[in-house]
Amino acid sequence: MRYKVLSGLAVGLLATVGLATPANAISATSSDVYVVHGIPGLVVDVYVDDALLLEDFTFGPEGVAGPLDLEARDYKIQVFAAGDDPATATPAIDVPAAGVPANQSVSLVAQYDAAGTPILGVYVNDISTTAPGQGRLTVRHAAEAGPVAIVAGGTIAFDNVENGDEGKVDLAVGALTAGVAGPGTTSPIIIPTSGTAAD
């Protein structure tokens, strides 16, 4: 349980900090879509509209694919354990109609809900321009855990982030230490597991 909770929180941070500039496919009829593997300990195959999209997709820094240029509409998305036959196997995640909006950058995240059930989280990425000298920190809560505080530079950047929600803040560019703690607290840091806020 502890590994699941900590890993899920970590990938939420990893996935969003690692997002690059959009692929310029965003339009009135399409969006840029990132697919994020946020469930530790499971290598998966991802099917979209019954076609294999991602094979042997792994958790961690490599578990971010995209951006994909997708038409704005509903998509059938299923996630199976790697190598499973979709004709006979039961998917770990089965979403009959995941809506992709138009004119957005979107992250589809295979994650846990607060009760530990694998689900597909859909998040719209804020790619609006920041002020000169600032960058944006975005953290999504994708773990089997209750609300948390995000600590940045020794203070709470945003608090009481629930499972399935996000926090974001624009901060001055430069060296930053950040971590995840219990709601309303800056200590103890539970992510990273060292207990010391990470650069």
Side-chain angles (χ1 to χ4, degrees):
M1 170 76 77
R2 179 174 172 79
Y3 174 72
K4 242 187 344 185
V5 170
L6 300 185
S7 297
L9 285 165
V11 82
L13 180 60
L14 258 174
T16 50
V17 170
L19 290 179
T21 305
N24 298 319
I26 297 174
S27 73
T29 59
S30 66
S31 283
D32 281 349
V33 177
Y34 296 84
V35 182
V36 181
H37 187 337
I39 299 178
L42 182 64
V43 181
V44 300
D45 295 335
V46 180
Y47 287 78
V48 176
D49 290 342
D50 297 317
L52 179 61
L53 176 70
L54 297 169
E55 188 173 17
D56 295 334
F57 198 37
T58 59
F59 171 85
E62 298 81 22
V64 180
L68 310 172
D69 178 17
L70 294 183
E71 175 188 345
R73 62 177 178 84
D74 288 345
Y75 292 87
K76 176 183 176 182
I77 299 177
Q78 294 180 304
V79 178
F80 293 90
D84 276 1
D85 182 352
T88 57
T90 300
I93 298 175
D94 188 0
V95 182
V100 171
N103 201 32
Q104 299 285 351
S105 172
V106 178
S107 289
L108 303 178
V109 182
Q111 65 177 71
Y112 291 112
D113 66 13
T117 302
I119 62 169
L120 186 72
V122 180
Y123 302 91
V124 175
N125 304 314
D126 184 352
I127 57 172
S128 60
T129 303
T130 58
Q134 290 195 325
R136 180 168 296 122
L137 172 68
T138 301
V139 180
R140 276 77 184 255
H141 187 334
E144 181 188 348
V148 297
I150 308 303
V151 181
T155 63
I156 296 176
F158 28 85
D159 199 5
N160 290 309
V161 181
E162 300 273 0
N163 176 278
D165 289 338
E166 68 177 16
K168 60 184 177 181
V169 62
D170 291 353
L171 299 169
V173 171
L176 174 72
T177 58
V180 178
T185 69
T186 59
S187 174
I189 297 291
I190 58 174
I191 295 290
T193 54
S194 64
T196 303
D199 295 335

